[in-house]
C-alpha cells in the first residue's frame, strides 16, 4: 500500500513544501506573530520530520506531543482561526507544488486529526 508520504513525492517533496510553507506563514498577518523569536531552521527541520511521520513516511520524529508543543502558543491566544490559517497556507503550498486536490484533501484530514491537541481542546 502506498503511503501519503510516497504519493506526495517522499522526502524531496516534503522538504520543498516546508520551505515554501514557512515563507507563506511568515507573510501571513494572521499568524506570523506566533513565530517571533523562533529558530526557524530548527523548526523547519522538526516540521519535516513530523510531516514525514504523519504522512506515513520514516518515523524519525522525536518531538513531544502536539498538545505539549503548542501549549505556550495556546496561552498566547492560538485558536481555530489561526489553525485554519495554517491549514490554508499548507494547502496553498501543496497547490503551488502541483499536488492533486485529492492528496491535498488527505493532507487536510491529517491536519484536522491533530487540531484538538494543537489547540489544547
Amino acid at each position: 500500500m502506498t503511503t501519503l508520504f510516497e504519493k506526495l513525492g517522499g522526502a524531496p517533496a516534503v522538504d520543498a513544501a516546508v520551505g515554501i510553507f514557512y515563507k507563506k506563514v511568515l507573510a501571513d498577518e494572521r499568524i506570523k506573530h506566533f513565530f517571533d523569536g523562533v529558530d526557524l531552521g530548527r523548526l523547519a527541520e522538526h516540521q519535516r520530520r513530523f510531516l514525514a511521520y504523519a504522512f506515513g513516511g520514516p518515523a524519525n520524529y522525536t518531538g513531544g506531543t502536539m498538545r505539549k508543543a503548542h501549549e505556550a502558543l495556546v496561552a498566547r491566544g492560538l485558536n481555530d482561526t489561526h489553525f485554519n490559517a495554517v491549514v490554508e497556507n499548507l494547502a496553498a503550498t501543496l497547490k503551488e507544488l502541483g499536488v492533486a486536490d485529492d492528496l491535498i484533501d488527505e493532507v487536510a484530514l491529517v491536519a484536522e486529526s491533530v487540531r484538538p491537541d494543537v489547540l489544547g481542546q
Side-chain angles (χ1 to χ4, degrees):
M1 181 174 187
T2 304
T3 65
L4 179 57
F5 179 74
E6 293 166 332
K7 291 176 191 175
L8 290 169
V14 169
D15 290 349
V18 168
I20 294 168
F21 170 74
Y22 278 112
K23 287 178 185 169
K24 290 184 182 305
V25 164
L26 294 175
D28 190 327
E29 294 295 330
R30 300 171 294 175
I31 55 177
K32 70 181 190 178
H33 63 281
F34 287 109
F35 297 89
D36 290 345
V38 172
D39 179 344
L40 292 175
R42 182 172 171 254
L43 181 61
E45 180 57 32
H46 189 74
Q47 186 74 354
R48 283 182 189 92
R49 290 181 183 173
F50 172 73
L51 290 176
Y53 166 74
F55 297 157
N60 295 328
Y61 177 71
T62 58
T65 66
M66 290 290 105
R67 185 174 298 271
K68 184 71 175 166
H70 294 88
E71 68 185 5
L73 298 176
V74 171
R76 289 177 46 204
L78 185 71
N79 62 38
D80 282 303
T81 300
H82 304 118
F83 189 94
N84 293 343
V86 169
V87 173
E88 287 171 25
N89 281 292
L90 182 55
T93 295
L94 296 174
K95 193 72 159 171
E96 183 175 324
L97 289 169
V99 173
D101 289 342
D102 62 324
L103 293 179
I104 294 172
D105 292 344
E106 283 188 55
V107 168
L109 287 174
V110 171
E112 285 301 326
S113 75
V114 298
R115 180 188 292 262
D117 285 334
V118 168
L119 297 178
Q121 299 171 339

